[in-house]
Amino acid sequence: MKTIRTNRKKLNKTVRKKEKVKFINLTFHQYENILCNKISSARICNVLKVNCSKEFFIKLIANGLPEYEDWYKRVKSN
């Protein structure tokens, strides 16, 4: 995964122009970094170059997505 070096709190123009999606397939490493580092949704979208809804990240962090339940347990147990 790319190192996130920006403190940007808004989506980049190129990301805003893309079609908004409701779900992103993440790798375990990306998921772990999102949970452990408390990265803002705008920063994640800018790095991954995808326009995703903020609700997705709220549910992701709160373990509200069944697709990531097993990973949540692995990350939180460490």
Side-chain angles (χ1 to χ4, degrees), residues 13-24:
K13 189 186 296 184
T14 56
V15 173
R16 278 193 307 254
K17 289 181 180 178
K18 293 186 176 200
E19 182 180 341
K20 194 164 212 153
V21 295
K22 294 183 180 182
F23 187 83
I24 303 172

Side-chain angles (χ1 to χ4, degrees), residues 29-62:
H29 186 67
Q30 291 169 330
Y31 179 76
E32 187 177 36
N33 283 333
I34 291 168
L35 283 188
C36 294
N37 297 325
K38 298 181 181 178
I39 303 168
S40 72
S41 59
R43 290 173 69 191
I44 296 164
C45 289
N46 287 338
V47 169
L48 298 176
K49 295 187 180 7
V50 63
N51 188 358
C52 189
S53 65
K54 194 172 186 177
E55 290 78 26
F56 169 78
F57 294 104
I58 292 169
K59 288 180 183 177
L60 183 73
I61 293 169

Side-chain angles (χ1 to χ4, degrees), residues 26-33 70-72 74-75 78:
L26 299 169
T27 65
F28 178 74
H29 186 67
Q30 291 169 330
Y31 179 76
E32 187 177 36
N33 283 333
D70 294 336
W71 286 1
Y72 185 84
R74 283 177 51 192
V75 171
N78 292 334

